[in-house]
Amino acid sequence: MAADLESVRALARLYARRGNQDKALESWKQLERFTPEDAEPILQVARLFAKAGDLEAALGRYNRLVGIESPFKSEALTGRNTMIDRILRNE
């Protein structure tokens, strides 16, 4: 199972590098479901939602990250504040 998850993670990164945001999002969301304690998929999903303009979904992911201990806490706080600002400005 762990090897399969690492394959999905590698695939998600490859899709993102190649600009296939939909496939990258699908892969990161799959990882998010199967490894809910892992902060990286949550962060990547938040980034991709923000990039796609789904600010509410991105905000939800950033809020989750703020609530857990992770090396991404600072980025989560910044992302959350950015999403709130963009939502308030109706972007």
Side-chain angles (χ1 to χ4, degrees):
M1 178 78 163
D4 291 339
L5 292 175
E6 286 310 308
S7 294
V8 173
R9 186 181 305 269
L11 201 54
R13 289 179 177 143
L14 178 64
Y15 286 139
R17 275 195 308 274
R18 292 192 174 171
N20 191 337
Q21 304 305 313
D22 291 336
K23 289 283 193 180
L25 180 59
E26 181 182 317
S27 297
W28 284 117
K29 285 173 73 175
Q30 184 178 13
L31 281 167
E32 186 181 37
R33 274 192 308 277
F34 289 109
T35 59
E37 71 287 347
D38 186 352
E40 184 185 14
I42 301 167
L43 175 65
Q44 296 300 339
V45 170
R47 287 174 176 168
L48 288 165
F49 276 143
K51 187 173 186 176
D54 191 342
L55 306 181
E56 295 285 343
L59 177 60
R61 292 323 196 281
Y62 283 125
N63 280 332
R64 276 182 58 200
L65 275 174
V66 167
I68 62 175
E69 193 59 42
S70 83
F72 308 115
K73 185 79 116 189
S74 177
E75 183 174 348
L77 288 166
T78 301
R80 180 178 70 177
N81 293 339
T82 301
M83 292 306 103
I84 291 169
D85 184 54
R86 289 178 66 188
I87 290 167
L88 291 174
R89 289 188 288 136
N90 293 315
E91 284 187 20

